[in-house]
Amino acid sequence: GGADPSQGAGEGRYEPDYLVVRLPMHLCSHTTPPTGKLNRTQTQVWLDQLPQLMESMRARFSGPIIWIDAAHYRWGGRAENQRQQFHCIENINARMRSEAVSKGMYVLNTEIMEKRYTEVTGDFSMHKGHVYMHTLTSHLFHLMNCIDDSTAYVSYDV
């Protein structure tokens, strides 16, 4: 359902029913340029900031928080750099899942869905087509319904 302004804490303020956060793949693409090596120091800085980010979100939002994994995509760079980036994304997703679950947040684990999609379609592009987005949205709505029914798993694998 939609947010109800009459339930807000303060004049004209209200909380939405859910907070949905997509973990961007940019965390890895900006630390693994197509012509360079993975900047492990910067990647680690961002990984180390995840717990603080999640604690801050939880302190400011009392409703369900749903995290969506980062995506895999391919660019025209060297294969070794792509492998580094995929490994980076997998590590960041694993850390995000662990931190989110430990803080009572929900995770829409789309990594498997993305891998299947790219295997079938060969589409490793950053911006996926409408069929993929429809599938992702359907899974997100299903998770929201499970949360409303108190039947959600903390990590929802699609």
mmCIF file of all heavy atoms in Angstrom, residues 31-73:
data_model
loop_
_atom_site.group_PDB
_atom_site.id
_atom_site.type_symbol
_atom_site.label_atom_id
_atom_site.label_comp_id
_atom_site.label_asym_id
_atom_site.label_seq_id
_atom_site.Cartn_x
_atom_site.Cartn_y
_atom_site.Cartn_z
ATOM 1 N N THR A 31 36.105 1.162 -9.269
ATOM 2 C CA THR A 31 37.383 0.729 -8.707
ATOM 3 C C THR A 31 38.086 -0.260 -9.630
ATOM 4 O O THR A 31 39.167 -0.720 -9.325
ATOM 5 C CB THR A 31 37.191 0.091 -7.314
ATOM 6 O OG1 THR A 31 36.321 -1.021 -7.432
ATOM 7 C CG2 THR A 31 36.644 1.108 -6.330
ATOM 8 N N THR A 32 37.468 -0.600 -10.763
ATOM 9 C CA THR A 32 38.082 -1.458 -11.765
ATOM 10 C C THR A 32 37.863 -0.821 -13.132
ATOM 11 O O THR A 32 36.994 -1.230 -13.882
ATOM 12 C CB THR A 32 37.445 -2.869 -11.773
ATOM 13 O OG1 THR A 32 37.357 -3.346 -10.444
ATOM 14 C CG2 THR A 32 38.277 -3.839 -12.599
ATOM 15 N N PRO A 33 38.633 0.193 -13.475
ATOM 16 C CA PRO A 33 38.446 0.814 -14.785
ATOM 17 C C PRO A 33 38.791 -0.173 -15.902
ATOM 18 O O PRO A 33 39.578 -1.098 -15.686
ATOM 19 C CB PRO A 33 39.420 1.992 -14.764
ATOM 20 C CG PRO A 33 40.376 1.706 -13.672
ATOM 21 C CD PRO A 33 39.709 0.783 -12.704
ATOM 22 N N PRO A 34 38.205 -0.016 -17.084
ATOM 23 C CA PRO A 34 38.432 -0.964 -18.180
ATOM 24 C C PRO A 34 39.910 -1.152 -18.529
ATOM 25 O O PRO A 34 40.296 -2.200 -19.010
ATOM 26 C CB PRO A 34 37.669 -0.357 -19.357
ATOM 27 C CG PRO A 34 36.643 0.508 -18.722
ATOM 28 C CD PRO A 34 37.231 0.998 -17.430
ATOM 29 N N THR A 35 40.714 -0.168 -18.273
ATOM 30 C CA THR A 35 42.130 -0.265 -18.642
ATOM 31 C C THR A 35 43.040 -0.493 -17.448
ATOM 32 O O THR A 35 44.255 -0.525 -17.605
ATOM 33 C CB THR A 35 42.579 1.035 -19.342
ATOM 34 O OG1 THR A 35 42.319 2.126 -18.455
ATOM 35 C CG2 THR A 35 41.844 1.230 -20.646
ATOM 36 N N GLY A 36 42.479 -0.648 -16.261
ATOM 37 C CA GLY A 36 43.319 -0.748 -15.078
ATOM 38 C C GLY A 36 43.021 -1.942 -14.213
ATOM 39 O O GLY A 36 42.215 -2.799 -14.552
ATOM 40 N N LYS A 37 43.685 -1.989 -13.086
ATOM 41 C CA LYS A 37 43.510 -3.072 -12.113
ATOM 42 C C LYS A 37 42.559 -2.619 -11.014
ATOM 43 O O LYS A 37 42.397 -1.429 -10.761
ATOM 44 C CB LYS A 37 44.861 -3.422 -11.506
ATOM 45 C CG LYS A 37 45.858 -3.924 -12.515
ATOM 46 C CD LYS A 37 46.327 -5.272 -12.108
ATOM 47 C CE LYS A 37 47.363 -5.744 -13.091
ATOM 48 N NZ LYS A 37 47.201 -7.085 -13.488
ATOM 49 N N LEU A 38 41.980 -3.595 -10.357
ATOM 50 C CA LEU A 38 41.081 -3.321 -9.252
ATOM 51 C C LEU A 38 41.800 -2.534 -8.165
ATOM 52 O O LEU A 38 42.885 -2.898 -7.735
ATOM 53 C CB LEU A 38 40.572 -4.645 -8.664
ATOM 54 C CG LEU A 38 39.678 -4.566 -7.433
ATOM 55 C CD1 LEU A 38 38.349 -3.926 -7.800
ATOM 56 C CD2 LEU A 38 39.448 -5.957 -6.862
ATOM 57 N N ASN A 39 41.195 -1.438 -7.747
ATOM 58 C CA ASN A 39 41.732 -0.647 -6.653
ATOM 59 C C ASN A 39 41.193 -1.257 -5.362
ATOM 60 O O ASN A 39 40.132 -0.894 -4.879
ATOM 61 C CB ASN A 39 41.311 0.817 -6.799
ATOM 62 C CG ASN A 39 41.853 1.694 -5.695
ATOM 63 O OD1 ASN A 39 42.211 1.215 -4.618
ATOM 64 N ND2 ASN A 39 41.890 2.986 -5.952
ATOM 65 N N ARG A 40 41.925 -2.220 -4.829
ATOM 66 C CA ARG A 40 41.456 -2.968 -3.659
ATOM 67 C C ARG A 40 41.298 -2.070 -2.430
ATOM 68 O O ARG A 40 40.417 -2.309 -1.609
ATOM 69 C CB ARG A 40 42.409 -4.117 -3.369
ATOM 70 C CG ARG A 40 42.401 -5.160 -4.455
ATOM 71 C CD ARG A 40 43.317 -6.329 -4.114
ATOM 72 N NE ARG A 40 43.564 -7.180 -5.256
ATOM 73 C CZ ARG A 40 42.709 -8.062 -5.740
ATOM 74 N NH1 ARG A 40 41.531 -8.201 -5.188
ATOM 75 N NH2 ARG A 40 43.020 -8.797 -6.783
ATOM 76 N N THR A 41 42.112 -1.051 -2.323
ATOM 77 C CA THR A 41 42.023 -0.153 -1.173
ATOM 78 C C THR A 41 40.686 0.574 -1.167
ATOM 79 O O THR A 41 39.994 0.604 -0.147
ATOM 80 C CB THR A 41 43.185 0.858 -1.181
ATOM 81 O OG1 THR A 41 44.414 0.143 -1.191
ATOM 82 C CG2 THR A 41 43.124 1.776 0.017
ATOM 83 N N GLN A 42 40.291 1.145 -2.300
ATOM 84 C CA GLN A 42 39.018 1.864 -2.376
ATOM 85 C C GLN A 42 37.845 0.907 -2.211
ATOM 86 O O GLN A 42 36.866 1.223 -1.539
ATOM 87 C CB GLN A 42 38.885 2.631 -3.692
ATOM 88 C CG GLN A 42 37.635 3.501 -3.762
ATOM 89 C CD GLN A 42 37.584 4.542 -2.657
ATOM 90 O OE1 GLN A 42 38.538 5.285 -2.454
ATOM 91 N NE2 GLN A 42 36.479 4.594 -1.937
ATOM 92 N N THR A 43 37.942 -0.271 -2.814
ATOM 93 C CA THR A 43 36.881 -1.264 -2.657
ATOM 94 C C THR A 43 36.706 -1.627 -1.188
ATOM 95 O O THR A 43 35.584 -1.711 -0.686
ATOM 96 C CB THR A 43 37.198 -2.526 -3.481
ATOM 97 O OG1 THR A 43 37.354 -2.168 -4.849
ATOM 98 C CG2 THR A 43 36.087 -3.553 -3.363
ATOM 99 N N GLN A 44 37.798 -1.807 -0.468
ATOM 100 C CA GLN A 44 37.727 -2.158 0.946
ATOM 101 C C GLN A 44 37.125 -1.022 1.770
ATOM 102 O O GLN A 44 36.360 -1.253 2.696
ATOM 103 C CB GLN A 44 39.103 -2.541 1.488
ATOM 104 C CG GLN A 44 39.065 -3.169 2.862
ATOM 105 C CD GLN A 44 38.246 -4.451 2.884
ATOM 106 O OE1 GLN A 44 38.424 -5.333 2.048
ATOM 107 N NE2 GLN A 44 37.331 -4.564 3.844
ATOM 108 N N VAL A 45 37.463 0.217 1.404
ATOM 109 C CA VAL A 45 36.878 1.374 2.099
ATOM 110 C C VAL A 45 35.357 1.320 1.981
ATOM 111 O O VAL A 45 34.638 1.488 2.967
ATOM 112 C CB VAL A 45 37.437 2.706 1.527
ATOM 113 C CG1 VAL A 45 36.611 3.896 1.988
ATOM 114 C CG2 VAL A 45 38.893 2.885 1.914
ATOM 115 N N TRP A 46 34.850 1.072 0.769
ATOM 116 C CA TRP A 46 33.404 1.016 0.572
ATOM 117 C C TRP A 46 32.792 -0.167 1.314
ATOM 118 O O TRP A 46 31.709 -0.048 1.904
ATOM 119 C CB TRP A 46 33.060 0.969 -0.907
ATOM 120 C CG TRP A 46 33.245 2.297 -1.577
ATOM 121 C CD1 TRP A 46 33.251 3.521 -0.978
ATOM 122 C CD2 TRP A 46 33.458 2.536 -2.956
ATOM 123 N NE1 TRP A 46 33.440 4.508 -1.905
ATOM 124 C CE2 TRP A 46 33.577 3.940 -3.132
ATOM 125 C CE3 TRP A 46 33.556 1.731 -4.071
ATOM 126 C CZ2 TRP A 46 33.777 4.531 -4.369
ATOM 127 C CZ3 TRP A 46 33.761 2.318 -5.303
ATOM 128 C CH2 TRP A 46 33.865 3.699 -5.438
ATOM 129 N N LEU A 47 33.466 -1.312 1.290
ATOM 130 C CA LEU A 47 32.961 -2.472 2.035
ATOM 131 C C LEU A 47 32.876 -2.157 3.520
ATOM 132 O O LEU A 47 31.896 -2.506 4.184
ATOM 133 C CB LEU A 47 33.879 -3.674 1.828
ATOM 134 C CG LEU A 47 33.688 -4.476 0.552
ATOM 135 C CD1 LEU A 47 34.800 -5.509 0.406
ATOM 136 C CD2 LEU A 47 32.330 -5.150 0.540
ATOM 137 N N ASP A 48 33.902 -1.506 4.044
ATOM 138 C CA ASP A 48 33.941 -1.184 5.473
ATOM 139 C C ASP A 48 32.886 -0.152 5.866
ATOM 140 O O ASP A 48 32.526 -0.045 7.040
ATOM 141 C CB ASP A 48 35.336 -0.693 5.878
ATOM 142 C CG ASP A 48 36.377 -1.795 5.795
ATOM 143 O OD1 ASP A 48 35.998 -2.985 5.739
ATOM 144 O OD2 ASP A 48 37.583 -1.465 5.768
ATOM 145 N N GLN A 49 32.374 0.615 4.900
ATOM 146 C CA GLN A 49 31.349 1.625 5.187
ATOM 147 C C GLN A 49 29.932 1.053 5.181
ATOM 148 O O GLN A 49 29.005 1.700 5.670
ATOM 149 C CB GLN A 49 31.442 2.776 4.179
ATOM 150 C CG GLN A 49 32.680 3.622 4.355
ATOM 151 C CD GLN A 49 32.831 4.664 3.261
ATOM 152 O OE1 GLN A 49 32.203 4.583 2.201
ATOM 153 N NE2 GLN A 49 33.682 5.646 3.506
ATOM 154 N N LEU A 50 29.756 -0.166 4.657
ATOM 155 C CA LEU A 50 28.406 -0.752 4.603
ATOM 156 C C LEU A 50 27.735 -0.857 5.976
ATOM 157 O O LEU A 50 26.573 -0.471 6.109
ATOM 158 C CB LEU A 50 28.445 -2.121 3.925
ATOM 159 C CG LEU A 50 28.343 -2.124 2.414
ATOM 160 C CD1 LEU A 50 28.547 -3.536 1.869
ATOM 161 C CD2 LEU A 50 27.014 -1.569 1.942
ATOM 162 N N PRO A 51 28.410 -1.370 7.020
ATOM 163 C CA PRO A 51 27.724 -1.458 8.314
ATOM 164 C C PRO A 51 27.250 -0.096 8.826
ATOM 165 O O PRO A 51 26.123 0.023 9.313
ATOM 166 C CB PRO A 51 28.792 -2.041 9.246
ATOM 167 C CG PRO A 51 29.748 -2.749 8.348
ATOM 168 C CD PRO A 51 29.745 -1.971 7.063
ATOM 169 N N GLN A 52 28.077 0.922 8.682
ATOM 170 C CA GLN A 52 27.698 2.263 9.141
ATOM 171 C C GLN A 52 26.520 2.792 8.330
ATOM 172 O O GLN A 52 25.588 3.386 8.884
ATOM 173 C CB GLN A 52 28.892 3.201 9.029
ATOM 174 C CG GLN A 52 28.598 4.598 9.499
ATOM 175 C CD GLN A 52 29.800 5.516 9.322
ATOM 176 O OE1 GLN A 52 30.856 5.126 8.843
ATOM 177 N NE2 GLN A 52 29.629 6.762 9.716
ATOM 178 N N LEU A 53 26.534 2.577 7.027
ATOM 179 C CA LEU A 53 25.424 3.009 6.174
ATOM 180 C C LEU A 53 24.126 2.332 6.616
ATOM 181 O O LEU A 53 23.097 2.989 6.780
ATOM 182 C CB LEU A 53 25.708 2.671 4.709
ATOM 183 C CG LEU A 53 24.563 2.877 3.732
ATOM 184 C CD1 LEU A 53 24.157 4.339 3.650
ATOM 185 C CD2 LEU A 53 24.943 2.335 2.350
ATOM 186 N N MET A 54 24.192 1.029 6.853
ATOM 187 C CA MET A 54 22.980 0.299 7.247
ATOM 188 C C MET A 54 22.494 0.699 8.635
ATOM 189 O O MET A 54 21.290 0.807 8.866
ATOM 190 C CB MET A 54 23.230 -1.199 7.156
ATOM 191 C CG MET A 54 23.375 -1.658 5.720
ATOM 192 S SD MET A 54 23.583 -3.437 5.641
ATOM 193 C CE MET A 54 23.697 -3.674 3.879
ATOM 194 N N GLU A 55 23.409 0.922 9.549
ATOM 195 C CA GLU A 55 23.022 1.386 10.884
ATOM 196 C C GLU A 55 22.344 2.746 10.806
ATOM 197 O O GLU A 55 21.350 2.999 11.482
ATOM 198 C CB GLU A 55 24.240 1.443 11.801
ATOM 199 C CG GLU A 55 24.749 0.078 12.209
ATOM 200 C CD GLU A 55 26.114 0.130 12.883
ATOM 201 O OE1 GLU A 55 26.572 1.240 13.256
ATOM 202 O OE2 GLU A 55 26.714 -0.946 13.029
ATOM 203 N N SER A 56 22.871 3.616 9.970
ATOM 204 C CA SER A 56 22.285 4.945 9.794
ATOM 205 C C SER A 56 20.882 4.848 9.196
ATOM 206 O O SER A 56 19.958 5.538 9.630
ATOM 207 C CB SER A 56 23.193 5.788 8.902
ATOM 208 O OG SER A 56 22.635 7.044 8.659
ATOM 209 N N MET A 57 20.727 3.968 8.205
ATOM 210 C CA MET A 57 19.406 3.782 7.593
ATOM 211 C C MET A 57 18.412 3.259 8.623
ATOM 212 O O MET A 57 17.282 3.729 8.705
ATOM 213 C CB MET A 57 19.507 2.821 6.410
ATOM 214 C CG MET A 57 20.287 3.388 5.242
ATOM 215 S SD MET A 57 20.579 2.150 3.990
ATOM 216 C CE MET A 57 18.969 2.076 3.246
ATOM 217 N N ARG A 58 18.832 2.262 9.410
ATOM 218 C CA ARG A 58 17.939 1.665 10.398
ATOM 219 C C ARG A 58 17.563 2.688 11.465
ATOM 220 O O ARG A 58 16.423 2.722 11.934
ATOM 221 C CB ARG A 58 18.599 0.430 11.025
ATOM 222 C CG ARG A 58 17.824 -0.252 12.115
ATOM 223 C CD ARG A 58 16.347 -0.514 11.829
ATOM 224 N NE ARG A 58 16.117 -1.457 10.763
ATOM 225 C CZ ARG A 58 15.080 -1.373 9.929
ATOM 226 N NH1 ARG A 58 14.195 -0.414 10.043
ATOM 227 N NH2 ARG A 58 14.922 -2.248 8.986
ATOM 228 N N ALA A 59 18.489 3.559 11.842
ATOM 229 C CA ALA A 59 18.206 4.561 12.867
ATOM 230 C C ALA A 59 17.174 5.579 12.374
ATOM 231 O O ALA A 59 16.450 6.159 13.177
ATOM 232 C CB ALA A 59 19.495 5.274 13.265
ATOM 233 N N ARG A 60 17.091 5.778 11.060
ATOM 234 C CA ARG A 60 16.201 6.805 10.514
ATOM 235 C C ARG A 60 14.908 6.257 9.916
ATOM 236 O O ARG A 60 14.002 7.009 9.615
ATOM 237 C CB ARG A 60 16.956 7.611 9.461
ATOM 238 C CG ARG A 60 17.996 8.518 10.070
ATOM 239 C CD ARG A 60 18.967 9.056 9.038
ATOM 240 N NE ARG A 60 19.923 9.969 9.621
ATOM 241 C CZ ARG A 60 20.969 9.607 10.349
ATOM 242 N NH1 ARG A 60 21.183 8.338 10.613
ATOM 243 N NH2 ARG A 60 21.818 10.506 10.825
ATOM 244 N N PHE A 61 14.864 4.941 9.692
ATOM 245 C CA PHE A 61 13.684 4.352 9.059
ATOM 246 C C PHE A 61 13.297 3.099 9.825
ATOM 247 O O PHE A 61 14.087 2.161 9.945
ATOM 248 C CB PHE A 61 13.973 4.013 7.592
ATOM 249 C CG PHE A 61 12.782 3.453 6.862
ATOM 250 C CD1 PHE A 61 11.728 4.274 6.505
ATOM 251 C CD2 PHE A 61 12.720 2.111 6.537
ATOM 252 C CE1 PHE A 61 10.623 3.765 5.845
ATOM 253 C CE2 PHE A 61 11.624 1.589 5.868
ATOM 254 C CZ PHE A 61 10.575 2.418 5.520
ATOM 255 N N SER A 62 12.079 3.055 10.335
ATOM 256 C CA SER A 62 11.665 1.940 11.186
ATOM 257 C C SER A 62 11.000 0.806 10.418
ATOM 258 O O SER A 62 10.847 -0.286 10.947
ATOM 259 C CB SER A 62 10.713 2.444 12.275
ATOM 260 O OG SER A 62 9.545 2.995 11.667
ATOM 261 N N GLY A 63 10.600 1.050 9.177
ATOM 262 C CA GLY A 63 9.911 0.021 8.400
ATOM 263 C C GLY A 63 10.870 -0.967 7.767
ATOM 264 O O GLY A 63 12.080 -0.917 7.973
ATOM 265 N N PRO A 64 10.323 -1.878 6.957
ATOM 266 C CA PRO A 64 11.157 -2.866 6.283
ATOM 267 C C PRO A 64 12.108 -2.209 5.273
ATOM 268 O O PRO A 64 11.700 -1.349 4.493
ATOM 269 C CB PRO A 64 10.160 -3.767 5.561
ATOM 270 C CG PRO A 64 8.839 -3.510 6.201
ATOM 271 C CD PRO A 64 8.892 -2.103 6.705
ATOM 272 N N ILE A 65 13.361 -2.615 5.328
ATOM 273 C CA ILE A 65 14.363 -2.155 4.367
ATOM 274 C C ILE A 65 14.748 -3.357 3.519
ATOM 275 O O ILE A 65 15.119 -4.404 4.037
ATOM 276 C CB ILE A 65 15.595 -1.568 5.071
ATOM 277 C CG1 ILE A 65 15.192 -0.342 5.903
ATOM 278 C CG2 ILE A 65 16.675 -1.206 4.045
ATOM 279 C CD1 ILE A 65 16.314 0.250 6.737
ATOM 280 N N ILE A 66 14.628 -3.195 2.204
ATOM 281 C CA ILE A 66 14.936 -4.272 1.262
ATOM 282 C C ILE A 66 16.145 -3.844 0.418
ATOM 283 O O ILE A 66 16.120 -2.797 -0.221
ATOM 284 C CB ILE A 66 13.746 -4.556 0.332
ATOM 285 C CG1 ILE A 66 12.511 -4.930 1.148
ATOM 286 C CG2 ILE A 66 14.098 -5.646 -0.684
ATOM 287 C CD1 ILE A 66 11.233 -5.005 0.327
ATOM 288 N N TRP A 67 17.173 -4.668 0.432
ATOM 289 C CA TRP A 67 18.362 -4.447 -0.393
ATOM 290 C C TRP A 67 18.298 -5.360 -1.609
ATOM 291 O O TRP A 67 17.907 -6.516 -1.502
ATOM 292 C CB TRP A 67 19.630 -4.760 0.402
ATOM 293 C CG TRP A 67 19.973 -3.694 1.378
ATOM 294 C CD1 TRP A 67 19.445 -3.519 2.628
ATOM 295 C CD2 TRP A 67 20.909 -2.641 1.195
ATOM 296 N NE1 TRP A 67 19.996 -2.419 3.225
ATOM 297 C CE2 TRP A 67 20.901 -1.869 2.372
ATOM 298 C CE3 TRP A 67 21.759 -2.279 0.157
ATOM 299 C CZ2 TRP A 67 21.711 -0.755 2.530
ATOM 300 C CZ3 TRP A 67 22.565 -1.174 0.321
ATOM 301 C CH2 TRP A 67 22.535 -0.414 1.488
ATOM 302 N N ILE A 68 18.681 -4.833 -2.764
ATOM 303 C CA ILE A 68 18.776 -5.619 -3.998
ATOM 304 C C ILE A 68 20.251 -5.664 -4.384
ATOM 305 O O ILE A 68 20.929 -4.636 -4.395
ATOM 306 C CB ILE A 68 17.933 -4.985 -5.131
ATOM 307 C CG1 ILE A 68 16.465 -4.879 -4.699
ATOM 308 C CG2 ILE A 68 18.071 -5.792 -6.409
ATOM 309 C CD1 ILE A 68 15.579 -4.166 -5.710
ATOM 310 N N ASP A 69 20.740 -6.871 -4.724
ATOM 311 C CA ASP A 69 22.153 -7.039 -5.072
ATOM 312 C C ASP A 69 22.598 -6.161 -6.233
ATOM 313 O O ASP A 69 21.788 -5.714 -7.027
ATOM 314 C CB ASP A 69 22.484 -8.449 -5.573
ATOM 315 C CG ASP A 69 21.960 -9.575 -4.788
ATOM 316 O OD1 ASP A 69 20.752 -9.634 -4.630
ATOM 317 O OD2 ASP A 69 22.760 -10.404 -4.369
ATOM 318 N N ALA A 70 23.902 -6.050 -6.347
ATOM 319 C CA ALA A 70 24.518 -5.384 -7.505
ATOM 320 C C ALA A 70 24.454 -6.320 -8.710
ATOM 321 O O ALA A 70 24.379 -7.539 -8.572
ATOM 322 C CB ALA A 70 25.971 -5.027 -7.201
ATOM 323 N N ALA A 71 24.506 -5.738 -9.889
ATOM 324 C CA ALA A 71 24.389 -6.488 -11.138
ATOM 325 C C ALA A 71 25.752 -6.800 -11.742
ATOM 326 O O ALA A 71 26.733 -6.114 -11.485
ATOM 327 C CB ALA A 71 23.574 -5.667 -12.140
ATOM 328 N N HIS A 72 25.771 -7.838 -12.575
ATOM 329 C CA HIS A 72 26.942 -8.129 -13.399
ATOM 330 C C HIS A 72 26.712 -7.477 -14.761
ATOM 331 O O HIS A 72 25.609 -7.487 -15.270
ATOM 332 C CB HIS A 72 27.096 -9.633 -13.622
ATOM 333 C CG HIS A 72 27.567 -10.353 -12.415
ATOM 334 N ND1 HIS A 72 26.711 -10.787 -11.441
ATOM 335 C CD2 HIS A 72 28.812 -10.721 -12.020
ATOM 336 C CE1 HIS A 72 27.398 -11.403 -10.497
ATOM 337 N NE2 HIS A 72 28.671 -11.369 -10.823
ATOM 338 N N TYR A 73 27.735 -6.949 -15.323
ATOM 339 C CA TYR A 73 27.649 -6.493 -16.706
ATOM 340 C C TYR A 73 29.042 -6.541 -17.301
ATOM 341 O O TYR A 73 30.036 -6.683 -16.607
ATOM 342 C CB TYR A 73 27.026 -5.090 -16.822
ATOM 343 C CG TYR A 73 27.946 -3.950 -16.480
ATOM 344 C CD1 TYR A 73 28.581 -3.230 -17.486
ATOM 345 C CD2 TYR A 73 28.181 -3.592 -15.161
ATOM 346 C CE1 TYR A 73 29.430 -2.185 -17.175
ATOM 347 C CE2 TYR A 73 29.018 -2.550 -14.847
ATOM 348 C CZ TYR A 73 29.649 -1.853 -15.855
ATOM 349 O OH TYR A 73 30.484 -0.826 -15.551
#
